[in-house]
């Protein structure tokens, strides 16, 4: 059986790129790291590292073992944390991965409420798009992942399509338990210079240049435009919703953005109109069989509590106003 400590050393070398950096991260002496690597090679009977100039690099076998070891160690760490939470050996530690617009809206309110409930809770946040967040969840690096997709269907029952976000080589159904937190509208984003009575119909913008986002958002944009009878001319691609709005405000194109993006950061030089029938769904996902550890259960309760049911707001020409302090979804403040 392979030694877990030596596997941790290999993973650290793979992650930080050198024996020196791995030793620093693990608080080991550099010779100790080299010794563990040599012993691991002896255990496996395979060359795992090789010299590269003044440093080292992993062989193909070393990279393969490091990837599998990261998954195993992640699950071991998760098991240790869950056991500690149940037995009360130490204060709860929570690890949450979330996409950028959720980190700018839902997560801060949830973190504040969580601190109000239990000050000793150690919440650690990681920014990750849905595919990476699900990989981290499966590997045990996070306890809960906030993800989104443009379909409300359960991951385990919907048919595969090009729009399935969270796929990207990841099986998103087996072992995953998801809770729908939010259904938010997707907005057409145009320059504030456009007339207030500009049409909501995407077909009216068929001749415009378009700004596309991440792969999942781009797929949704292409689908919506196809339903409107045209293929968009995509001139820019960026998953930075601040940059998207800046490009639109500069009259360099039009785009679509979900409400959370507009709540997280709203450019004064854009106009937004909700697209009929276009929505994005935000889920909190856990991995493994229930019941959840108490700390995870508390986090799930807090995430549900800070998401308030949306209210329609009337704007000029029927537009749904989404100023910086408001959106179709509101995030409540800390308890008390």
């Amino acid at each position: 059986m392979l030694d877990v400590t030596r596997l941790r050393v290999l993973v650290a070398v793979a992650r930080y790129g050198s024996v020196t950096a791995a030793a620093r991260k693990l608080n080991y002496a550099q010779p100790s790291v080299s010794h563990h690597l040599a012993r691991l090679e002896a255990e496996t009977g395979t060359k795992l590292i090789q010299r590269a100039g003044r440093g080292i690099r992993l062989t193909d076998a070393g990279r393969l073992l490091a990837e599998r070891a990261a998954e195993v160690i992640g699950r071991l760490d998760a098991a240790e944390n869950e056991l500690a939470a149940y037995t009360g050996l130490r204060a709860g530690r929570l690890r949450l991965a979330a996409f950028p617009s959720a980190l700018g809206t839902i997560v801060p309110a949830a973190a504040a409420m969580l601190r109000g409930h239990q000050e000793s809770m150690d919440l650690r946040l990681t920014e990750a798009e849905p595919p990476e967040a699900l990989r981290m969840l499966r590997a045990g690096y996070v306890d809960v992942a906030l993800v989104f997709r443009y379909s409300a269907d359960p991951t385990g029952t919907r048919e595969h399509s090009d729009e399935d976000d969270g796929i990207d080589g990841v099986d998103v159904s087996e072992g995953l338990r998801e809770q729908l937190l939010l259904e938010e509208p997707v907005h057409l984003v145009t320059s504030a210079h456009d007339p207030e009575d500009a049409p909501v119909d995407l077909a009216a913008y068929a001749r415009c240049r378009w700004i596309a986002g991440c792969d999942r958002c781009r797929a949704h944009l292409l689908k919506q435009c196809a339903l409107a009878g045209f293929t968009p001319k995509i001139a820019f691609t960026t998953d930075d919703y601040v940059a998207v709005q800046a490009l639109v405000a500069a009259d360099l194109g039009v785009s679509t953005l979900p409400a959370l993006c507009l709540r997280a950061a709203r450019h004064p030089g854009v106009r937004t109109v909700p697209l009929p029938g276009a929505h994005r769904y935000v889920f909190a996902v856990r991995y493994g069989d229930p019941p959840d550890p108490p700390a995870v259960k508390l986090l799930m309760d807090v995430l549900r509590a800070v998401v308030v049911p949306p209210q329609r707001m009337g704007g000029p020409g029927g537009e749904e106003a989404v100023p910086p302090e408001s959106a179709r979804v509101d995030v409540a403040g800390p308890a008390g």
Side-chain angles (χ1 to χ4, degrees):
M1 181 179 294
L2 298 178
D3 184 89
V4 175
T5 299
R6 291 164 190 158
L7 291 177
R8 286 186 185 274
V9 170
L10 180 66
V11 170
V13 171
R15 183 170 298 163
Y16 300 105
S18 70
V19 169
T20 301
R24 187 182 305 115
K25 186 66 178 179
L26 295 171
N27 292 319
Y28 286 178
Q30 186 171 330
S32 178
V33 170
S34 299
H35 173 74
H36 280 303
L37 291 174
R39 291 298 302 272
L40 187 59
E41 287 186 330
E43 287 181 356
T44 59
T46 305
K47 191 72 174 174
L48 302 176
I49 59 174
Q50 60 186 23
R51 292 289 177 183
R54 295 183 177 180
I56 63 168
R57 66 182 180 185
L58 269 62
T59 63
D60 289 343
R63 282 191 294 271
L64 175 63
L65 182 57
E67 290 174 2
R68 296 295 180 265
E71 296 175 4
V72 171
I73 291 169
R75 298 309 300 166
L76 287 174
D77 288 344
E80 180 184 359
N81 293 331
E82 291 172 9
L83 182 61
Y86 274 111
T87 58
L89 293 178
R90 62 171 178 267
R93 186 184 78 176
L94 281 171
R95 300 160 301 170
L96 174 67
F99 53 94
S101 58
L103 278 175
T105 52
I106 298 173
V107 173
M113 182 178 289
L114 188 65
R115 184 177 56 191
H117 281 292
Q118 189 169 339
E119 291 187 3
S120 62
M121 190 68 68
D122 179 16
L123 178 62
R124 304 181 185 185
L125 305 176
T126 300
E127 178 181 316
E129 293 292 340
E132 180 60 23
L134 292 179
R135 291 189 184 98
M136 294 177 70
L137 183 64
R138 281 186 169 280
Y141 291 124
V142 297
D143 305 299
V144 178
L146 290 184
V147 303
F148 69 84
R149 63 174 183 263
Y150 291 92
S151 167
D153 297 332
T155 53
T157 59
R158 77 185 190 278
E159 294 181 358
H160 176 78
S161 70
D162 292 338
E163 192 182 322
D164 286 347
D165 34 279
I167 299 293
D168 293 3
V170 179
D171 179 357
V172 297
S173 57
E174 184 180 351
L176 297 180
R177 294 179 291 122
E178 60 181 31
Q179 171 72 50
L180 176 63
L181 293 180
L182 173 66
E183 175 186 346
E184 58 174 339
V186 176
H187 293 256
L188 173 66
V189 183
T190 60
S191 170
H193 300 143
D194 286 3
E196 291 189 356
D197 59 351
V200 183
D201 185 8
L202 284 182
Y205 297 88
R207 296 180 178 274
C208 294
R209 300 200 303 175
W210 284 81
I211 303 161
C214 66
D215 291 341
R216 296 164 299 285
C217 301
R218 182 189 183 102
H220 183 256
L221 171 63
L222 292 174
K223 179 179 179 180
Q224 292 297 312
C225 292
L227 292 174
F230 72 98
T231 299
K233 178 184 177 182
I234 297 177
F236 302 97
T237 299
T238 175
D239 56 5
D240 185 338
Y241 50 82
V242 174
V244 169
Q245 294 182 63
L247 291 169
V248 172
D251 288 321
L252 295 176
V254 297
S255 188
T256 60
L257 285 175
L260 281 184
C261 296
L262 299 171
R263 176 178 171 80
R266 174 65 184 259
H267 196 293
V270 302
R271 288 177 53 81
T272 63
V273 183
L275 291 171
H279 296 89
R280 186 174 75 163
Y281 302 85
V282 178
F283 298 86
V285 187
R286 293 147 293 165
Y287 181 64
D289 295 331
D292 294 319
V296 172
K297 183 178 183 300
L298 177 59
L299 176 59
M300 293 295 295
D301 291 342
V302 166
L303 287 170
R304 286 190 291 265
V306 299
V307 178
V308 178
Q311 294 182 350
R312 306 288 298 185
M313 299 178 60
E319 175 180 344
E320 179 179 0
V322 188
E325 69 277 8
S326 176
R328 186 175 187 272
V329 294
D330 295 324
V331 178

